[in-house]
Amino acid sequence: MSLQESSISERAALLNSMRGFLILSLTDNFCELELDRIETDLMARLAADKFLIGVLIDFGLVQTTDASDLQRLELLTRAIRLLGRTLVVSGITPGLAALIVQHGISLHHEVAGYDIDDALERFQSCAIGS
Amino acid sequence: MTSTIPSLSVQQPYGVQELTRFYRIRPEGLEKVRSVSAQTMVHVEQMLDHFYVWMGGLPDFMAFFQGPESLQHVRSMQSLYWKRLLQAEISDDYLRDRRRVGEIHASIGLPVVFYMAGVSMVYDRIAAMNLELFSAGGESDVMLETMTALLHMDAGLICQSFVDKRDRMLQEQSQAVMAMSTPVTEIWDGILLLPIVGLVDSKRSEDIMNAVLNSIRTAKAKEFILDISGVGVVDTAVANYLISISKATSLMGCHTTISGISPAISKTIVQLGVNVNDVNTTATMMDALSNAFEARGLVIEKSERFRGR
């Protein structure tokens, strides 16, 4: 089954929620088209649930990507921030981090962690600290 | 660390088939060499005598031998080599043996020019020996062609493995230098420190970024201090790298502080148009350390014993 054929509910499975965050787990082959669809789902979920604190984008399964996909991702993160939601990132590898800065991409994140749990813990300690 | 000098090593060492094709070594030529190997070997021993007399007159060459025993050992190895060469059986084992000689030359630092001078001297003797053994014409030509090709192939293998070995040695040294030039140290649980001293160019900046990001992942560090008080000036490309390091560490959940920025470096960073809020800086490493400890919930206090001193 192609991504185009998958139903909204199946695609929304990419967006589990945890501790008030929508978790978006990207895979190694994420592309602009997929990000367009994810953005639609994500915006719908954020609009529907005012109690969601923010979005956590997990890159744990992403080894590499290209500049255009990263630019598309940057737009997505900016949109999330404009909705007044917190953005947390996790699982970014050294190679991916170098690639992101090399392409001058900003992910507009507030907190970053090694994995989803670590990122959420850090967010909570930041929230308590503030 | 990748060297900026292109490597001269071949990806995969060539085998018997490729090498015999490269050097145009034909089976009938090898057969010819084999058929006269017994006669030739007698001449080879004389040639070796001549070779060692010739070499004895060259102090630069003799410096590579520790004494008569070492000289005798090398000579007996050469004699074995010639026996093997005259058997004209080019096998993987034969090629391996040739390559090993190149590695030994690289290890002892024998200049290629010395080795090639020896090959040239031997070549002249082979040509003379060929004339003594065969009458001019067909048989002699085949023999000389094949012996020349074999000697060239052997010299090629030895020089290539010499280069390969030197490449590997350079790579190892370069890795050691990199490790020394980027000593990322976990000075406390979750706190990494990298003091940089000396000249920083784009290559070193890239190495620093790789070393830092990998150390952050390994140590799961939350604070990273980059102390550049030992660096006088940097160009805009390097300054940009320093800012990029800070941004990249942030993506991995590690907060970076750059300490000890000199006025010259500060000017360069400003010229880049970097938003100063994007970079966390302190005047001294002590301030950076103090901030990092605080961020980790640690407090540095004088012990009871030292209070009042």
Side-chain angles (χ1 to χ4, degrees), chain A residues 89 92-94 97-98 100-101 107 109 112-115 118 122, chain B residues 209 213-214 216-217 220-222 244 247-248 250-254:
Chain A
V89 293
I92 295 182
T93 59
I100 291 170
V101 293
L107 293 184
H109 64 287
Y114 299 107
D115 52 34
D118 179 52
R122 287 183 192 217
Chain B
M209 188 194 268
L213 296 180
N214 284 314
I216 287 172
R217 177 147 92 164
K220 294 199 167 177
K222 290 181 174 146
S244 296
K247 287 180 181 168
S250 144
L251 286 165
M252 294 179 67
C254 182

Side-chain angles (χ1 to χ4, degrees), chain B residues 130-279:
Chain B
N130 193 52
L131 284 176
E132 280 176 42
L133 280 172
F134 306 100
S135 53
E139 219 180 17
S140 167
D141 290 350
V142 173
M143 178 71 180
L144 188 61
E145 261 173 40
T146 311
M147 286 300 284
T148 306
L150 284 171
L151 279 176
H152 282 164
M153 181 186 77
D154 285 6
L157 283 171
I158 287 172
C159 289
Q160 184 63 55
S161 67
F162 180 98
V163 167
D164 293 350
K165 175 81 176 174
R166 297 298 276 202
D167 265 0
R168 283 199 299 275
M169 286 160 78
L170 275 174
Q171 209 173 12
E172 281 164 18
Q173 281 173 2
S174 163
Q175 278 166 353
V177 168
M178 199 202 94
M180 281 190 287
S181 66
T182 53
V184 186
T185 314
E186 188 172 14
I187 51 162
W188 202 267
D189 182 30
I191 303 176
L192 294 180
L193 170 69
L194 172 60
I196 305 178
V197 178
L199 287 173
V200 183
D201 56 8
S202 294
K203 177 76 185 72
R204 193 174 172 201
S205 309
E206 195 186 335
D207 292 341
I208 289 170
M209 188 194 268
N210 290 337
V212 167
L213 296 180
N214 284 314
S215 300
I216 287 172
R217 177 147 92 164
T218 310
K220 294 199 167 177
K222 290 181 174 146
E223 293 290 331
F224 167 60
I225 300 165
L226 180 65
D227 182 70
I228 57 170
S229 51
V231 182
V233 281
V234 293
D235 61 19
T236 48
V238 173
N240 203 18
Y241 250 114
L242 297 178
I243 306 301
S244 296
I245 290 171
S246 173
K247 287 180 181 168
T249 60
S250 144
L251 286 165
M252 294 179 67
C254 182
H255 177 252
T256 291
T257 303
I258 303 178
S259 65
I261 294 181
S262 69
I265 295 177
S266 136
K267 268 178 82 177
T268 311
I269 293 175
V270 169
Q271 277 163 8
L272 278 173
V274 172
N275 183 351
V276 284
N277 293 327
D278 289 348
V279 199

Side-chain angles (χ1 to χ4, degrees), chain B residues 85-100:
Chain B
L85 178 85
L86 293 170
Q87 282 166 4
E89 297 287 354
I90 306 169
S91 62
D92 287 338
D93 187 55
Y94 178 81
L95 301 181
R96 227 182 347 262
D97 194 47
R98 295 294 79 211
R99 290 186 173 113
R100 199 176 51 83

Side-chain angles (χ1 to χ4, degrees), chain B residues 31-57:
Chain B
E31 186 48 50
K32 182 77 225 158
V33 174
R34 270 194 292 271
S35 69
V36 292
S37 64
Q39 294 159 262
T40 321
M41 198 57 211
V42 179
H43 288 263
V44 163
E45 288 299 340
Q46 288 167 3
M47 182 187 73
L48 286 177
D49 289 340
H50 190 87
F51 178 83
Y52 279 88
V53 170
W54 166 78
M55 204 169 62

